[in-house]
């Protein structure tokens, strides 16, 4: 087997469209015989005819290292073996696959038969009945072979030898698990004489004439004639050139109107679903059907925690429905064409798609791009073969608006050759490649992780006259729309700064949106010793080279449960924006659909005072076309003053009045609020017993000055805290502050993770106790002075007035400024009047609404695969925290606070590498934060924006605390 060439695979027929046909076909998926050898040299020579009785069996499609043969390995940019192209390492698992099968009579009835492989990682040699069929390169690309002369009636023997690594690995260094094997389907196809071998359907839309233009180029075996049939439109004509169709509707991602089209020859009928649409660039804007569009996108990898990249139709459909429910309208198929059926779903459900070629030579970055295949003529055919397979397979899909040449492959003539070929083969779509640094041979200006300021500058530059000394390349770029093919790295707690990006995308006509990196976390699930499922990441399988948890960076977890980041993103990209004026007189509705009016939307308003609904109603939305704004009067009941203690909240929700394939009618698209802070009522004052260690219900430790008990609830603290358990983003650099270490390191160096408190004094007075402390960092002289005035109020409650004052020596920004309390018993939940239900931080809060939220024990924090800070609720005015030991009620008398209630201490979170390493601590860790830093998206992209950073500053708050009895 040859696995160190620079060439494409061999023996295949020319790539062609994926067609749904009535010709017979036979799936060869199922249980195959399988054996793995540690290297090519040690792999037995007799593999094609050896007795397989001693071999094991394996699922095809599947990855062998997820089926008990070896283990998965994860690396991002780094190559897992020496960069020595085109050679793979000697230690290179070789999988031998064997299947004896009887061909169906239907398949045998036709003279021509093809054998199709939809995906084999990374290189295969295929034999049928001891005859070499051919070889494959391009793991996520379809290869078809003509086996007409090899297939026999009776038993056929198919033998496939697969190398985990090969020359192809240098072109497939995507950021994902190395998962070898035949992981997509294997199919035998009968090809009728005179059948439809290939089709290229171009369904254009003429916006001026409001007509579709259908151009179908067919390659009929034997050159015979074909008919074009569109029953719905009464079309039944000989297939010949293009036809204009009046009375059709265009396709767009918001209204994905498809027509059933058939192409019939005497011997075969192929059926397609076709949508009419035109993609173009005009005045540096991205237009579809003449209208500018906004890509509200995600990068989608194919991943399932126990099956890797093996497709499952139900999972894929559910996942796209989940995207639609969260307003995602665009997918970049990072970084390879997905399973072919996913394209059908994109067409049907409505997504703008950047279909990306299976190409990434990122590993060469580590050697300064020395020897990069993109620039080496020896690899040229391999590059062209990859894009040709991509374009041909998917060329009939309406949803595909751009072809992407690949990801992170630097520069070189081979990429330019791909672009040239693509442009000539399919001028109806745009070409994308982020790595074309000057946008010379692409149709869109694409960047990844450009910081906000740069996004603003890129938007500005098309609003000014082009500089007189612009080079031709610069002048060309100024005519292009801008998108971020990757932005907002959804790793851990984050991504912060989404709203700030989106405001810029909306502000500049050139901007066409972007794609969050990434949709899904690629955790691999295994059974732990106790039988429960554990999610693993890079390094957990003993890899010598790996990139740790960098593969856990999704808006949904590996099982596709939404992370808070998805909920915030959904609010940022919501198709309707609702603003209520402060006086509650009017509400302003902005339609952010690109094509739909708001005829399918109604508004529901509701008024909640201190948690009790007081009035509600619905409002019809006046006519409001795409990108238009409407203003509505609010009814009197929405605004009459009420006396609230906590808050008086008016919420307006936009909901759908019709069902869609992804949501029932009543689906909430957006909400807006107007929150009036209440006037807290002080419990009646009492004369409480005050001693050095007691103020009413509060019992103090005379040594520390902290609480030991509130009523019957054991409680310690408050201590002053400015640290958080570093998030993934805190541990990383951020592309805007390369001269500073990551926050986690700065915090560690400043010692804020180990602050020490000294009691300055504890003085009983006539109505309470004043405790003064100084909390300082070890090693250094930075400190925060706290004055805590405790007084007893009625109903067993205590009042706490806090003043915090940092000294002048602080140089480190803080994660937060708060009061930390530890309660006895594991947390059981919390009732919170504040912003929720999901967690929020200053730069990650678009989806949070003020409400009276009940949080169960699992809602309090986020079960991140790698533990870190999470779970803050901002704008809290009142909260009841319930633990096994009792309940603590906290409410503010002035400013709202941010509340974090955790089952684990920050030290435990920071020390654990996986969520399953954490053990119950028997306590509940509560933080009442007076200020917080944002979270940023520094794992890739900008860190915390200056306006969301927290510099040392004084703060004060007045709180009421009380122990409340719990039932049972
Ligand atoms: C960027 C990659 O394109 C993507 O595949 C992924 O690795 C992402 O980063 C990080 O998760 S490349 C990066 C060096 C900007």
């Amino acid at each position: 087997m040859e696995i160190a060439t620079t060439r494409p695979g061999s023996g295949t027929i020319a790539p062609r469209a994926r067609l749904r046909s009535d010709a017979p076909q036979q799936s060869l998926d199922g249980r195959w015989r399988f054996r793995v050898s540690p290297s090519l040299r040690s792999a037995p020579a007799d593999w094609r005819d050896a007795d397989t009785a001693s071999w094991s069996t394996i699922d095809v499609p599947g990855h062998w290292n997820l089926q008990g043969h070896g283990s998965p390995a994860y690396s991002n940019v780094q190559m897992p073996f020496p960069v020595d192209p085109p050679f793979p390492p000697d230690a290179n698992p070789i999988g031998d696959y064997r299947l004896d099968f009887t061909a169906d009579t239907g398949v045998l009835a036709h003279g021509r038969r093809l054998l199709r492989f939809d995906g084999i990682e990374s290189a295969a040699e295929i034999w049928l009945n001891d005859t070499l069929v051919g070889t494959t390169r391009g793991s996520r690309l379809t290869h078809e072979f003509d086996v007409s002369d090899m297939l026999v009636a009776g038993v056929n023997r198919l033998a496939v030898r697969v190398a985990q690594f090969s020359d192809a690995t240098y072109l497939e260094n995507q950021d994902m698990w190395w998962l070898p094997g035949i992981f997509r389907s294997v199919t035998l196809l009968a090809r009728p004489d005179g059948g439809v071998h290939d089709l290229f359907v171009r369904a254009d839309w003429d916006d001026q004439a409001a007509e579709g233009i259908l151009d179908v180029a067919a390659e009929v075996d034997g050159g015979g004639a074909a008919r074009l049939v569109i029953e719905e439109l009464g079309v039944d004509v000989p297939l010949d050139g293009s036809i204009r169709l009046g009375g059709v509707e265009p396709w767009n991602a918001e209204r994905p109107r498809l027509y059933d089209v058939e192409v019939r020859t005497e011997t075969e009928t192929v059926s397609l679903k076709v949508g009419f649409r035109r993609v173009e660039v005009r005045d540096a804007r991205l237009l579809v059907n003449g209208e500018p569009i906004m890509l509200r996108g995600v990068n989608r990898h194919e991943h399932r925690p126990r099956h890797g990249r093996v497709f499952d139709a139900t999972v894929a459909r559910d996942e796209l429905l989940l995207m639609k429910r969260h307003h995602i309208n665009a997918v970049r198929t990072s970084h390879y064409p997905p399973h072919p059926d996913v394209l059908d779903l994109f067409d049907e459900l409505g997504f703008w798609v950047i279909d990306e070629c299976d190409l990434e030579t990122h590993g060469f970055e580590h050697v300064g791009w020395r020897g990069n295949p993109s620039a080496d003529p020896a690899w040229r055919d391999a590059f062209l073969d990859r894009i040709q397979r991509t374009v041909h397979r998917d060329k009939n899909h309406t949803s595909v608006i751009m072809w992407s040449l690949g990801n992170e492959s630097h520069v070189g003539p081979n990429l330019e050759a791909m672009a040239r070929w693509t442009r000539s083969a399919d001028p109806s779509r745009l070409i994308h490649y982020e790595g074309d640094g000057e946008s010379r041979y692409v149709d869109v200006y694409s960047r990844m992780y450009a910081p906000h300021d740069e996004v603003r500058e890129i938007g500005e530059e098309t609003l000014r006259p082009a500089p007189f000394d612009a080079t031709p390349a610069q002048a060309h770029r100024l005519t292009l729309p801008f998108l971020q093919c990757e932005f907002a790295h959804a790793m851990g707690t984050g991504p912060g700064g989404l709203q700030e990006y989106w405001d810029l995308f909306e502000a500049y006509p050139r901007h066409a949106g972007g794609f969050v990196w990434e949709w899904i976390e690629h955790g691999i699930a295994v059974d732990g010793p106790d039988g429960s499922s554990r999610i693993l990441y890079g390094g957990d399988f003993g890899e010598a080279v790996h990139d740790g948890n960098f593969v856990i960076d999704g808006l949904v977890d590996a099982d596709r449960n939404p992370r808070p980041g998805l909920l915030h993103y959904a609010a940022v990209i919501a198709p309707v924006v609702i603003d209520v004026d402060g006086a509650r007189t009017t509400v302003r509705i902005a339609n952010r659909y690109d094509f739909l009016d708001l005829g399918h939307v109604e508004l529901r308003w509701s008024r909640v005072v201190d948690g009790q609904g007081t009035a509600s109603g619905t409002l019809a939305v006046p006519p409001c076309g795409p990108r238009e704004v409407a203003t509505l009067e609010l009814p009197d009941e929405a605004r009459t003053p009420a006396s609230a203690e906590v808050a008086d909240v008016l919420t307006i929700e936009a909901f759908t009045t019709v069902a869609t394939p992804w949501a029932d009618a009543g689906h909430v698209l957006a909400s807006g609020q107007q929150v009036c802070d209440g006037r807290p009522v002080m419990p009646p004052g009492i004369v409480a017993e005050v001693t050095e260690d007691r103020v009413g219900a509060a019992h103090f430790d005379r040594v520390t000055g902290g609480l030991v008990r509130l009523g019957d609830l054991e409680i310690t603290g408050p201590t002053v805290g400015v640290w958080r358990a570093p998030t993934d983003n805190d541990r990383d650099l951020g592309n805007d502050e390369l001269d500073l270490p990551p926050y986690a390191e700065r915090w560690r160096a400043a010692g804020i993770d180990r602050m020490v408190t000294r009691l300055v004094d504890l003085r009983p007075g006539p109505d309470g106790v004043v405790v003064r402390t100084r909390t300082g960092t070890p090693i250094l002289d930075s400190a925060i002075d706290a004055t805590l005035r405790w007084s007893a109020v009625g109903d067993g409650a205590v009042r706490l007035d806090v003043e915090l004052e940092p000294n002048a020596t602080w140089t480190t920004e803080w994660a937060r400024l708060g009061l930390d309390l530890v309660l006895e018993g594991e947390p059981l939940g919390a009732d919170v009047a504040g912003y929720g239900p999901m967690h929020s931080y200053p730069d990650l809060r678009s989806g949070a609404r003020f409400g009276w939220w009940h949080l169960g024990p699992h809602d309090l924090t986020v079960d991140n695969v790698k533990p870190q800070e999470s779970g803050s609720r901002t704008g809290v005015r009142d909260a009841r925290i319930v633990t096994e030991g009792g309940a603590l009620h906290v409410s503010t008398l002035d400013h709202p606070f941010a509340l974090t209630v955790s089952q684990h201490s920050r030290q435990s979170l920071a020390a654990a590498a996986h969520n399953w390493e954490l053990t119950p601590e028997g306590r509940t860790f509560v933080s009442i934060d007076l200020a917080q830093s944002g979270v940023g998206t520094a794992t890739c992209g900008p860190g915390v924006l200056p306006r969301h950073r927290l510099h040392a500053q004084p703060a004060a708050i007045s709180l009421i605390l009380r122990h409340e009895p719990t039932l049972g």
Side-chain angles (χ1 to χ4, degrees), residues 757-835:
T757 299
R758 173 170 66 83
L759 177 63
V760 178
D761 57 25
L762 187 158
R763 272 201 231 138
D767 17 80
V769 161
V770 180
V771 178
R772 294 194 306 127
T773 61
R774 167 164 278 215
T775 302
T777 56
I779 308 166
L780 303 174
D781 58 357
S782 303
I784 298 167
D785 291 321
T787 306
L788 302 116
R789 289 172 220 280
W790 296 92
S791 48
V793 288
D795 297 342
V798 288
R799 172 175 175 155
L800 170 61
D801 294 286
V802 186
E803 283 162 34
L804 303 174
E805 181 73 43
N807 67 9
T809 63
W810 285 94
T811 52
T812 331
E813 288 152 30
W814 295 338
R816 60 193 181 89
L817 173 59
L819 303 172
D820 299 336
L821 296 160
V822 181
L823 315 187
E824 65 170 305
E826 291 283 319
L828 298 178
D831 293 297
V832 179
Y835 285 83

Side-chain angles (χ1 to χ4, degrees), residues 76 175 335 362 407-408 448-449 486 489 517 550 553 940:
N76 175 8
D175 177 10
H335 300 302
H362 212 164
N407 186 55
E408 293 277 11
M448 46 173 78
Y449 310 107
E486 295 177 24
H489 197 249
W517 186 269
F550 217 63
D553 55 356
C940 243

Side-chain angles (χ1 to χ4, degrees), residues 333-624:
T333 70
S334 54
H335 300 302
Y336 43 81
H339 186 280
D341 292 356
V342 179
L343 277 297
D344 293 325
L345 295 170
F346 289 150
D347 295 345
E348 178 202 325
L349 298 172
F351 286 92
W352 309 115
V353 174
I354 300 184
D355 195 348
E356 189 151 272
C357 183
D358 191 0
L359 178 73
E360 175 160 346
T361 68
H362 212 164
F364 289 84
E365 186 173 6
H366 277 285
V367 296
W369 297 104
R370 236 181 352 261
N372 181 23
S374 306
D376 180 346
W379 295 89
R380 182 187 154 101
D381 289 351
F383 277 58
L384 284 169
D385 181 72
R386 282 169 187 263
I387 193 71
Q388 288 164 0
R389 289 185 190 282
T390 302
V391 170
H392 281 298
R393 194 197 73 173
D394 294 344
K395 63 193 171 191
N396 294 323
H397 286 283
T398 309
S399 53
V400 177
I401 60 166
M402 295 184 209
W403 300 113
S404 176
L405 305 180
N407 186 55
E408 293 277 11
S409 301
H410 203 51
V411 292
N414 297 340
L415 290 156
E416 296 181 42
M418 290 170 92
R420 269 195 305 278
W421 178 85
T422 307
R423 187 159 285 123
S424 67
D426 181 14
S428 73
R429 294 179 173 101
L430 307 179
I431 295 175
H432 169 272
Y433 176 56
E434 183 269 346
D436 177 7
E438 295 182 312
S439 311
R440 282 189 301 114
Y441 49 89
V442 293
D443 302 315
V444 287
Y445 178 8
S446 174
R447 286 289 310 276
M448 46 173 78
Y449 310 107
H452 297 74
D453 284 347
E454 201 184 341
V455 171
R456 177 180 297 105
E457 175 51 30
I458 292 169
E460 293 280 348
E461 60 184 19
T462 49
L463 302 179
R464 299 190 290 255
F468 73 93
D469 57 348
T471 62
Q474 287 164 341
H476 170 65
R477 171 174 274 183
L478 286 170
T479 67
L480 302 182
F482 174 77
L483 61 86
Q484 290 234 64
C485 66
E486 295 177 24
F487 80 109
H489 197 249
M491 185 174 182
T493 297
L498 278 171
Q499 185 70 56
E500 291 79 358
Y501 269 122
W502 214 265
D503 291 345
L504 291 167
F505 293 167
E506 289 284 345
Y508 296 98
R510 178 188 209 177
H511 290 341
F515 299 78
V516 167
W517 186 269
E518 67 178 306
W519 170 247
I520 192 168
E521 298 176 357
H522 313 207
I524 299 269
V526 299
D527 292 331
D530 60 354
S532 66
S533 185
R534 291 178 166 183
I535 294 287
L536 303 187
Y537 53 74
D540 290 338
F541 297 96
E543 303 103 294
V545 173
H546 68 83
D547 286 292
N549 68 325
F550 217 63
V551 78
I552 309 290
D553 55 356
L555 292 174
V556 295
D557 72 16
D559 292 305
R560 293 172 167 77
N561 300 304
R563 296 288 192 193
L566 177 63
L567 309 178
H568 289 296
Y569 188 41
V572 168
I573 60 176
V576 176
V577 179
I578 301 175
D579 287 302
V580 192
D581 81 74
R584 297 187 177 177
T585 329
T586 57
V587 54
R588 182 180 175 275
I589 309 297
N591 178 357
R592 286 210 176 151
Y593 285 110
D594 296 320
F595 298 92
L596 298 184
D597 61 29
L598 295 186
H600 65 293
V601 176
E602 264 182 35
L603 297 183
R604 174 167 52 224
W605 66 272
S606 61
R607 179 141 177 230
V608 178
V609 179
D610 290 345
Q612 300 300 316
T614 60
S616 63
T618 53
L619 295 169
V621 179
C624 186

